[in-house]
Amino acid sequence: MSEGRRVTSADVAREAGVSRATVSYVPNGVSHQKIPEATFQRVWDAAARLGYAPSAAARALRTGRSEFVLGLLPDWPIEHVLGRLIQQLTNAFAEHGLTFVVHSSANPARPCG
């Protein structure tokens, strides 16, 4: 792959000798498709060799879910108790495949209005 270019499912498909649809079925665990074990492994091996990671943006568009949970915090100092709570929430969401993102409402980055 040329440097700076993101590896795509088409690249993995070419490398593994399968269709792009097959490449999308493998990491997403599509249950209505029966992928032979040898093909499944060939796709994973090609993806690993090329450094492929499925696009979170594409997945969000396809499923209508971002798998991100945004926590908006008031202008409070993040001390021990609040820090522990944030860590516990991060861990709990991660157990369900979700990413917890915390944003403080103090001094908004963009002007309102």
Side-chain angles (χ1 to χ4, degrees):
M1 300 285 78
S2 63
E3 219 171 292
R5 183 169 96 54
R6 180 179 172 89
V7 176
T8 67
S9 60
D11 299 323
V12 175
R14 259 191 311 280
E15 178 81 9
V18 299
S19 70
R20 285 183 71 186
T22 299
V23 172
S24 74
Y25 296 149
V26 169
N28 294 314
V30 176
S31 60
H32 68 276
Q33 295 294 325
K34 300 296 181 207
I35 308 289
E37 184 59 35
T39 302
F40 185 88
Q41 194 57 53
R42 204 166 63 238
V43 170
W44 276 118
D45 292 346
R49 268 194 310 279
L50 296 174
Y52 172 72
S55 166
R59 184 180 303 115
L61 286 171
R62 186 180 69 251
T63 64
R65 295 178 45 152
S66 70
E67 299 184 359
F68 283 90
V69 176
L70 178 60
L72 297 174
L73 297 179
D75 188 12
W76 294 345
I78 298 178
E79 295 178 2
H80 180 70
V81 174
L82 186 55
R84 243 179 89 203
L85 175 62
I86 291 169
Q87 188 58 56
Q88 289 171 342
L89 286 169
T90 299
N91 294 342
F93 284 126
E95 288 175 10
H96 297 282
L98 301 170
T99 301
F100 187 48
V101 178
V102 178
H103 178 75
S104 172
S105 63
N107 302 322
R110 289 182 261 179
C112 297

